[in-house]
Amino acid sequence: MKRELGIARCGLACCLCSENTRCNGCNSGECPDKDWCENRKCSIKKGLANCFLCEEDCSKGLLSKIKPYGFTVFAKRYGVETLLDCLERNEKNGVVYHREEIYGDYDDFTGLEELIEFIKSGEK
Ligand code: SF4
Ligand code: SF4
């Protein structure tokens, strides 16, 4: 895990992303999706560094997907450092962020609270 890359504006975990060997995170300008990312455009327009700092309960762009939405809600509730602590511990315990292309163990949820519990405990 490259903890220093943190969490992208949209809630994806740059620190664990399989692209992070050639992309240095959301604000590096190297993200292949930067030109169409609605969350990037909107948060920059609002003067916010990240969607988890926004007061709106939003499902625009990547936030329509359970993983970035769940990570964003988690960071809003408990803080981004707690999220990074949990992701780091879970990775050490074998939880895989990108197992097949962009899908991994955090994508396998339909309910927000179940995903939040999984982030907290690392156990399904
Ligand atoms: S591709 Fe996107 S999610 Fe992955 S490291 Fe780059 S900015 Fe972060
Ligand atoms: S409105 Fe949505 S996309 Fe825009 S900054 Fe807030 S959470 Fe992000």
Side-chain angles (χ1 to χ4, degrees):
M1 171 162 160
K2 291 185 177 174
R3 188 173 174 126
E4 66 282 8
L5 296 186
I7 304 295
R9 289 171 179 269
C10 64
L12 289 174
C14 297
C15 55
L16 293 171
C17 176
S18 54
E19 295 283 328
N20 74 13
T21 48
R22 53 194 164 157
C23 169
N24 285 296
C26 190
N27 289 323
S28 68
E30 295 165 345
C31 178
D33 301 331
K34 75 172 176 20
D35 291 332
W36 61 260
C37 179
E38 236 183 302
N39 308 99
R40 187 172 189 273
K41 281 187 201 152
C42 180
S43 56
I44 288 173
K45 205 168 158 194
K46 282 177 177 281
L48 297 170
N50 200 296
C51 286
F52 63 65
L53 298 170
C54 180
E55 287 177 356
E56 293 187 44
D57 182 21
C58 169
S59 55
K60 275 192 225 171
L62 265 298
L63 293 173
S64 63
K65 299 195 183 305
I66 189 71
K67 179 169 67 182
Y69 182 66
F71 285 12
T72 298
V73 173
F74 191 102
K76 280 185 182 183
R77 281 190 200 168
Y78 307 111
V80 68
E81 291 304 319
T82 307
L83 173 60
L84 291 169
D85 288 346
C86 289
L87 296 179
E88 196 165 18
R89 179 206 57 207
N90 292 348
E91 187 196 34
K92 281 182 190 144
N93 291 337
V95 175
V96 179
Y97 183 76
H98 280 161
R99 195 176 282 284
E100 284 175 49
E101 298 191 352
I102 59 166
Y103 294 97
D105 297 338
Y106 294 105
D107 296 278
D108 199 16
F109 291 87
T110 49
L112 172 67
E113 296 307 326
E114 287 83 359
L115 172 54
I116 292 209
E117 279 311 307
F118 177 59
I119 297 168
K120 272 190 203 164
S121 69
E123 285 168 20
K124 284 191 184 170

